[in-house]
Amino acid sequence: MKKIIDAVETVVDQALDGMVVAYPEYLVRVAQTSVLARANPKEAGKVGIVSGGGSGHEPAHGGYVGFGMLDAAVAGEVFTSPTPDQVYAGIKAADHGAGVLLVVKNYTGDVMNFDIARELADADGIRTEVVLVNDDVAVQDSLYTTGRRGIAGTVFVHKIAGAAAEEGLDLASVKAVGDAVVANVASMGFALTSCTVPANGKPTFELGDQEMEMGIGIHGEPGIERVPMMGAKDVTARLFHRLVDELSLTSGEPIAAMVNSMGATPQLELAIMTAHLGQLARDGGLVLERVLMGEFMTSLEMAGASLTLLRLDEERARRLKARADTPALRIVGH
């Protein structure tokens, strides 16, 4: 295992400190916790938004703490859910008197621990709601979930629900905005190599030089199908058509897309996929209004990518374009 770390036991703690050193204008660390919160909190009376999960998916989730997205992010150990007390610390940091929305990826540990944290918040009089993200179309159930997994589509929930919270919508309305994103987003990914979890010290699975794994999750778990290596055009088309079918998209509809590196795939290759995505959208008569391309929801150093499609309506399109200013995503509002 070759990694730039000091000790397996301190990976997450040191990484959180490093985020604050790199982005002091955005982030503060809540003392004695694994919570990153906004250095400049939003105004009192607006809904707070908290997300999080196991580490190893950077820039998710600490990278999305800032104006227009998250108020706090809670980090667990690598690929391990944060504990309820840590999540509750995130809720307290994000509470500005109007309640807190929790954006939770659908993994059993996350769902359970965020639910327990809600009970702690309720006992202290902090109102909470949950948006459960399950955008991965590759599997119906997995080793880690009942139902579909939550993967890169979560970032669209952060962005659009975050914009709604900045507008001053109440907690129920911000939740409704987030739920509507979940109902209209779908993702699927593939891997060219595995990743190595620091605590394990070896790849979670092996792939031959001429093989790729389709339908992977974000925790180093294998995909649903091992197939011969294919080029950018073919793999993009395979993902695109699967997502179009899932969302029942029809000609003339506006969409947004995310071409997401799993951690080791460079911008050059993502851009080739994105070029094919543009052609596929034109061929299908879809209006591709916005594309996010880069690292948004990774799986350590795994090579590969995921594609996410989001059906837009007028409100989702407007909030997707609204100003956001975070370490990992900055959008100049229109």
Side-chain angles (χ1 to χ4, degrees):
M1 178 177 70
K2 287 184 175 178
K3 290 183 183 291
I4 304 173
I5 63 175
D6 295 317
V8 169
E9 296 78 12
T10 60
V11 164
V12 173
D13 191 56
Q14 289 180 292
L16 293 172
D17 284 343
M19 289 285 289
V20 175
V21 170
Y23 305 109
E25 69 274 36
Y26 293 100
L27 302 174
V28 294
R29 186 167 177 184
V30 178
Q32 309 301 316
T33 75
S34 61
V35 176
L36 295 177
R38 280 177 60 165
N40 296 298
K42 66 173 43 148
E43 299 93 330
K46 289 187 175 181
V47 171
I49 301 184
V50 172
S51 192
S55 297
H57 308 301
E58 291 70 23
H61 295 281
Y64 303 119
V65 174
F67 181 89
M69 296 187 78
L70 303 180
D71 293 81
V74 190
E77 293 301 316
V78 174
F79 295 170
T80 302
S81 174
T83 57
D85 61 313
Q86 296 291 316
V87 178
Y88 181 47
I91 292 172
K92 288 194 290 186
D95 179 38
H96 306 295
V100 177
L101 179 71
L102 308 180
V103 180
V104 182
K105 300 187 302 300
N106 186 32
Y107 292 94
T108 302
D110 287 342
V111 172
M112 179 179 68
N113 289 345
F114 276 75
D115 276 348
I116 295 172
R118 289 189 68 193
E119 295 175 2
L120 298 174
D122 183 63
D124 281 349
I126 302 175
R127 293 180 297 128
T128 61
E129 291 285 357
V130 171
V131 171
L132 190 63
V133 187
N134 56 356
D135 55 312
D136 186 359
V137 305
V139 293
Q140 290 301 319
D141 297 293
S142 77
L143 293 173
Y144 300 87
T145 65
T146 299
R148 290 178 169 177
R149 301 173 291 208
I151 54 175
T154 307
V155 179
F156 279 136
V157 180
H158 295 340
K159 176 66 191 73
I160 294 172
E166 293 289 359
E167 291 170 15
L169 272 62
D170 63 21
L171 180 59
S173 299
V174 176
K175 171 180 166 52
V177 168
D179 285 338
V181 176
V182 173
N184 287 280
V185 70
S187 303
M188 187 168 171
F190 66 91
L192 305 181
T193 68
S194 176
C195 62
T196 297
V197 178
N200 296 336
K202 61 182 181 181
T204 54
F205 59 89
E206 299 286 349
L207 271 175
D209 288 343
Q210 298 304 314
E211 294 178 322
M212 58 195 302
E213 194 87 12
M214 299 297 296
I216 50 120
I218 56 173
H219 296 98
E221 64 266 48
I224 58 170
E225 184 182 11
R226 186 160 295 186
V227 300
M229 187 67 194
M230 63 183 83
K233 181 177 182 180
D234 289 340
V235 71
T236 306
R238 182 164 176 164
L239 298 178
F240 178 83
H241 292 303
R242 177 71 180 83
L243 301 179
V244 167
D245 290 345
E246 175 65 28
L247 294 172
S248 299
L249 292 167
T250 58
S251 181
E253 287 198 87
I255 61 169
M258 180 186 301
V259 182
N260 170 59
S261 169
M262 300 306 298
T265 293
Q267 293 271 331
L268 178 77
E269 295 168 33
L270 298 179
I272 295 170
M273 286 186 63
T274 303
H276 290 304
L277 167 69
Q279 186 61 54
L280 287 162
R282 290 190 292 273
D283 292 346
L286 296 170
V287 181
L288 188 55
E289 292 199 359
R290 190 166 195 112
V291 178
L292 300 181
M293 186 189 81
E295 289 186 358
F296 298 98
M297 180 78 71
T298 63
S299 182
L300 292 171
E301 78 279 24
M302 179 182 281
S306 65
L307 178 64
T308 298
L309 297 184
L310 169 66
R311 175 188 278 109
L312 294 176
D313 61 7
E314 185 175 336
E315 289 298 289
R316 283 192 290 277
R318 180 177 62 79
R319 289 177 174 133
L320 185 59
K321 295 176 182 176
R323 184 169 81 88
D325 191 8
T326 72
L329 185 62
R330 185 170 185 269
I331 294 178
V332 178
H334 296 281

